Amino acid sequence: MPTPRTTFLSVFAASLADRLPGTWTSEYHRHAAYKDQFPAVERLWGLGHVDHIVSQQVLGHDAVLNGPHGQQLYVADRPRYRRQFVVAPLEPEGFTPDQVSVVREPNGIAVPDDPVRAAAAVVRRLLPRYQHALAAVRNNARPLPSPVRRCAPPAGHGHREGHLAPGRNLHHPGRRPARRGPQRLVRLRLPGLPARQHPPPAGHP
């Protein structure tokens, strides 16, 4: 028959789930042997005091709260603190260790045995960093965008019509470029020298 503490944990977990934002449900588990609590211990997301408690103490029971978007919270007794429980996030399932291990662990917290005060502490202190960590894991799981491949243009079509490549000759081979207009020969006169006398045109008197 369940002990009063066992009953209290199951009732507390259910009451806590009812007060969290969104839709949360509670699953209570009683462990017949110490090894039965290991599956949840291995998924604890953090190395704080909650991990120490769960890995070093024989708890006998625990509860898992299942929330929206794959959120899961672990709830257990806090030994030597009869008026407190511990609540800790669980690592998300379906991701590789490389996608999870690079994210900062959200860790768990200790809460009072009053479901109203406990829910307020979870909403204020735990859920924001837990949801931030979940978003980071999902972002790590997104496939990287494929690099843009640039194909070389076909021969003779490397430039748009009316545009030429730099350095391209504008004239046909073997054809001299057209003159752009009459060119005048400028003669320079040096100081001290007499101006050169041009012969008069033929037939001039």
Side-chain angles (χ1 to χ4, degrees), residues 75-135:
V75 184
D77 295 325
R78 188 182 186 189
R80 296 183 294 180
Y81 294 87
R82 302 294 295 178
R83 304 289 297 179
Q84 293 184 1
F85 292 97
V86 292
V87 182
L90 297 179
E91 289 186 358
E93 296 180 307
F95 298 92
T96 65
D98 291 340
Q99 295 166 347
V100 178
S101 61
V102 296
V103 177
R104 184 176 181 179
E105 298 169 334
N107 293 319
I109 60 174
V111 297
D113 60 359
D114 176 15
V116 176
R117 295 169 56 201
V122 170
V123 171
R124 183 180 70 256
R125 299 169 49 200
L126 180 57
L127 286 184
R129 65 182 185 227
Y130 177 37
Q131 293 167 354
H132 183 271
L134 282 175

